[in-house]
């Protein structure tokens, strides 16, 4: 493996890690919005629904990425040595 390939792998992992953190932040934001709506602190239901949909879409996207990574790993494991 070349140094460039190793650096690319590290950058890829860092990007994936940041994406997971961003998804977690969106999930927390949606949770807070729901709690504030229930407490009466937010009167605009649209804000809450947008936050929930953003979090849901980000989670679905992350799961698709995970599925593709698992598929790629399984394909590599099936390769003869």
């Amino acid at each position: 493996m070349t140094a460039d390939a190793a650096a690319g792998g590290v950058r890829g992992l860092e990007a994936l890690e940041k994406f997971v953190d961003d998804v977690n932040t969106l999930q927390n934001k949606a949770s807070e919005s729901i709690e504030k709506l229930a407490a009466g602190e937010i009167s605009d239901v649209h804000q809450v629904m947008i936050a929930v949909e953003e979090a849901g879409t980000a989670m679905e996207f992350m799961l698709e990425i995970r599925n593709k990574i698992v598929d790629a790993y399984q394909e590599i494991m099936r390769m003869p040595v």
Side-chain angles (χ1 to χ4, degrees):
M1 181 184 313
T2 66
D4 288 338
V10 170
R11 284 193 302 267
L13 288 175
E14 289 171 356
L16 186 59
E17 196 173 302
K18 182 180 178 336
F19 180 63
V20 170
D21 287 342
D22 291 345
V23 171
N24 187 44
T25 300
L26 287 171
Q27 292 287 332
N28 290 338
K29 180 182 170 186
S31 235
E32 286 177 25
S33 294
I34 291 170
E35 289 174 10
K36 287 180 179 180
L37 179 67
E41 296 175 26
I42 295 178
S43 60
D44 188 10
V45 177
H46 293 98
Q47 283 179 329
V48 177
M49 290 305 297
I50 289 170
V52 169
E53 285 299 316
E54 281 180 343
T57 302
M59 179 63 82
E60 288 176 21
F61 185 58
M62 185 179 69
L63 290 175
E64 286 299 319
I65 291 172
R66 182 211 57 186
N67 292 342
K68 293 295 181 183
I69 291 170
V70 169
D71 288 345
Y73 174 78
Q74 289 173 344
E75 186 66 28
I76 291 169
M77 290 291 104
R78 283 192 288 263
M79 288 182 178
V81 178

